[in-house]
């Protein structure tokens, strides 16, 4: 079985934090237990705002806040859905070794795992993953508002045939 990675991607411009939360809520409709989502973007880009919507869409318990100081936080489902495991890998300098200490690979099969700052740190956890990259739009300062550019990139067989654009259209 080769490791030929297939990719699918789509892009969104998100004008407000409320719409960022809504985008997370819409993505939740595409996710299932075992999915790994890597969130990238500079500080303040909207990663936690996006994850808050994701948690709402998955119907999990507990306020979704940045897990910076606890590194990982588990939000159990209120109904039948998977739990949300929200990880902040920013302070994990050791990469995969430190991530393995968190036992995320144990949580992964029955959970949706969202890793902020996960790029180049946790890809080895799963062949299938969804990269979500959030950037401030370059015109934000001039326009008076604060839009974001969000790119979704599904990697691996799990995302083949998933129409990200349609699923996120709302």
């Amino acid at each position: 079985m080769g490791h030929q990675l297939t990719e699918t991607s789509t892009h969104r411009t998100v004008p407000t934090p409320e719409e960022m939360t809504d985008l997370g809520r819409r993505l939740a409709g595409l996710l299932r237990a075992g999915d790994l989502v890597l969130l990238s973007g500079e500080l303040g880009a909207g990663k936690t705002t996006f994850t808050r919507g994701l948690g709402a869409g998955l119907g999990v318990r507990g306020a979704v806040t940045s897990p910076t100081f606890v590194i990982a936080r588990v939000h159990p489902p209120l109904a039948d859905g998977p739990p949300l495991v929200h990880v902040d890998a920013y302070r994990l300098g050791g990469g995969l070794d430190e991530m393995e200490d968190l036992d995320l690979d144990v949580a992964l099969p029955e959970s949706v795992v969202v890793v902020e700052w996960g790029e180049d740190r946790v890809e080895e956890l799963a062949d299938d993953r969804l990269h979500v990259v959030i950037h401030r739009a370059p015109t934000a300062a001039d326009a008076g508002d604060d839009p974001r550019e969000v790119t979704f990139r599904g990697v691996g067989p799990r995302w083949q045939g998933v129409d990200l654009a349609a699923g996120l259209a709302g």
Side-chain angles (χ1 to χ4, degrees), residues 101-123:
D101 290 343
L102 297 175
D103 281 339
L104 289 185
D105 50 341
V106 173
L108 191 59
E110 64 268 3
S111 307
V112 169
V113 178
V114 175
V115 184
E116 295 190 24
W117 305 100
E119 202 141 22
D120 300 326
R121 287 186 167 106
V122 299
E123 281 88 343

Side-chain angles (χ1 to χ4, degrees), residues 30-79:
L30 298 174
L31 296 177
R32 61 187 187 212
D35 283 344
L36 174 64
V37 179
L38 305 184
L39 268 182
S40 303
E42 60 264 287
L43 283 167
K47 295 181 297 295
T48 300
T49 301
F50 178 83
T51 307
R52 193 170 295 130
L54 194 64
L58 289 173
V60 298
R61 190 169 71 231
V64 173
T65 58
S66 177
T68 301
F69 298 105
V70 294
I71 299 182
R73 182 176 282 124
V74 178
H75 297 275
L78 292 169

